[in-house]
Amino acid sequence: MKKIRVLDTTLRDGEQTPGISLTVSEKLRIATKIDEIGVNIIEAGSAITSSGEREAIKQITSAGLNAEIASFARAVKVDVDAALECDVDSVHLVVPTSDLHIEYKLKKTREEVLSQSIETAEYALDHDLIVELSAEDATRSDMDFLKKIFIEGINVGAQRICACDTVGMLTPERSYDFYKELSTLNTPLSVHCHNDFGLAVANTLGAMRAGATEFHCTVNGIGERAGNAALEEIIVSLDTLYGKNQNYSIEDNGSSIYQTDVNIQELYSTSKFVSRLTGVYLQPNKAIVGENAFAHESGIHADGVIKNAATYEPITPEFVGHKRKFIMGKHIGIKGLKNNLDEFGIKTTPEQLTEIFDKVKSLGDMGKCVTDVDLQAIADNVLELKREQKIKLEEVTIVSGNKVIPTASIKLKIDDKDVLEAGVGIGPVDAAIVAVKKGISEFADIELEEYHVDSITGGTDALIDVIVKLKMGDKLISARSTQTDIINASVEAYLSGVNRLLEEVN
């Protein structure tokens, strides 16, 4: 078994994603989360960048984390001094090595770059810093010069070397050959890949097959341009696709030939956490952690997964802390539909199930996705259940403005009795929900577990899709409303869920 170390650069390379600018508090929270899942090295930032960046790094180094804390540094002493001020454990000492960078960016000679690099590495080592000597644009560098810089760095005491595929020019085949050549230097070797051609993860895996013992990554693959190699994709690939005697059958229990310290079951929650703090939301089909990574609509797929998840899932969603979903649309099969109905406790005859199935298919053909609430309504109609809504919204009024505390007044009809309430909140939606909760407080203690809103169409008159998840006791349900008014949609979704919860409890 081969031990692989993980250097996470979400707080440095990841923060260079256009549009991301993290506060000191946010950087500390992300560092703490990354440390908790078992990452070995956290590149906390580049200390020379600003006083705010140094403050963030200082807070991270003083937080008592288990991971080694590193600062990015150029091959200049002032960068090392800034890192020393922050009390980091190591520097990621980055040196441009391609003629393109040396001539056009640095305007120096190879000899000048080599001399400056070794001098700075010695300076950092003399101040008791661990040095990871990293070659920028290494994959477009002359191999002899690249190896010369690494060898001289190793000779003065650099503990690790790293070759960066700065603009993602490697292919998996070339990655293997490239890092195989560098592995002959017999020093811990790191791989740092960018995703300009969508090959960062594949190239990183190729490098480790060739002898690299550490990889650089970011959570969700965020980073400049097309991003960096994604932590979650590499970790799961190492664990699942590189097993001993791997035959890919459900009976195969062979352990991976690579081992990391990362807690795989925390990958999804970490992905969501970083996405929320950075504001970089994931495309639904993102591997491993995307919302559709374990979602099934096709009837054939849903049927197979219900019988045995391994038929259409290479790993279980629980393995990475995710959840499986069956999507109701025109591709759904009757067994997937029945599975959803069973989850809602709706029992049907075969004839009733077929009628519900036909109605869902018809809506799908119209380009609509059937929500949980829609399915409940369809099933009610087919089963001839005419549910009386215990709580109905009669009226909602909002007062909000630049210097006005958002205030909502609502009128509910509860069992034919009018109930008037008011509430204030941090925004108009919050105020409306507070008022509703006060109106139903005598007979229902409902917790809002999750609130999500999407704009379905463009323009100021866009359709707003609100999804809420509500909990009462051990009952948990989702409800949805789609309207052009976000406040009405939010209140209607909330009340729809409340009515269903009350019906299930009673």
Side-chain angles (χ1 to χ4, degrees), residues 425-444:
I426 60 173
V429 172
D430 185 45
I433 297 301
V434 167
V436 172
K437 290 183 72 173
K438 289 169 69 175
I440 65 173
S441 61
E442 289 186 11
F443 55 86

Side-chain angles (χ1 to χ4, degrees), residues 95-329:
V95 181
T97 55
S98 70
D99 289 333
L100 179 64
H101 277 234
I102 292 172
E103 180 179 351
Y104 291 97
K105 187 176 79 172
L106 300 182
K107 300 188 183 301
K108 295 179 181 292
T109 65
R110 287 186 178 184
E111 291 70 26
E112 288 173 320
V113 169
L114 175 61
S115 174
Q116 187 174 344
S117 303
I118 302 308
E119 182 180 341
T120 308
E122 287 182 308
Y123 182 74
L125 290 163
D126 288 343
H127 288 80
D128 298 321
L129 288 172
I130 298 169
V131 172
E132 182 161 325
L133 184 59
S134 192
E136 183 181 13
D137 206 27
T139 54
R140 293 192 294 182
S141 300
D142 174 71
M143 178 58 79
D144 289 338
F145 178 64
L146 179 63
K147 290 173 74 173
K148 184 176 183 180
I149 279 191
F150 282 149
I151 289 170
E152 296 208 16
I154 294 166
N155 288 341
V156 299
Q159 292 92 338
R160 303 189 295 261
I161 57 174
C162 175
C164 301
D165 188 22
T166 302
V167 290
M169 295 295 290
L170 288 176
T171 63
E173 298 84 2
R174 183 164 174 257
S175 177
Y176 179 86
D177 295 338
F178 178 80
Y179 286 97
K180 189 71 173 177
E181 178 76 11
L182 294 177
S183 70
T184 61
L185 299 180
N186 296 318
T187 295
L189 173 63
S190 303
V191 51
H192 179 114
C193 290
H194 282 258
N195 204 40
D196 295 78
F197 288 86
L199 296 172
V201 170
N203 291 336
T204 298
L205 294 172
M208 284 182 283
R209 283 187 58 241
T213 56
E214 175 185 309
F215 68 87
H216 293 198
C217 60
T218 60
V219 176
N220 298 331
I222 61 175
E224 290 188 272
R225 304 184 311 281
N228 290 47
L231 165 70
E232 59 282 349
E233 294 177 25
I234 298 170
I235 291 293
V236 174
S237 294
L238 287 177
D239 184 271
T240 303
L241 301 180
Y242 290 87
K244 294 177 180 177
N245 303 316
Q246 180 64 266
N247 60 21
Y248 302 103
S249 73
I250 58 174
E251 292 83 13
D252 178 39
N253 294 313
S255 59
S256 173
I257 58 177
Y258 299 99
Q259 181 185 39
T260 72
D261 294 323
V262 173
N263 183 348
I264 295 177
Q265 290 187 330
E266 293 296 321
L267 289 174
Y268 178 67
S269 64
T270 303
S271 166
K272 297 289 284 185
F273 181 80
V274 170
S275 175
R276 185 168 66 253
L277 288 191
T278 60
V280 178
Y281 294 98
L282 302 180
Q283 70 269 30
N285 63 329
K286 170 76 167 64
I288 310 298
V289 293
E291 289 307 302
N292 288 351
F294 299 96
H296 307 276
E297 180 179 333
S298 163
I300 295 172
H301 286 209
D303 180 41
V305 168
I306 290 168
K307 291 174 179 174
N308 187 317
T311 53
Y312 288 103
E313 290 177 351
I315 57 174
T316 64
E318 295 79 12
F319 182 59
V320 294
H322 213 323
K323 290 183 179 179
R324 180 181 296 115
K325 295 190 298 184
F326 292 101
I327 307 301
M328 291 173 288

Side-chain angles (χ1 to χ4, degrees), residues 391-407:
I391 307 169
K392 295 179 181 178
L393 176 66
E394 296 288 305
E395 187 179 325
V396 57
T397 303
I398 298 292
V399 177
S400 183
N402 188 35
K403 296 183 179 180
V404 178
I405 297 174
T407 305

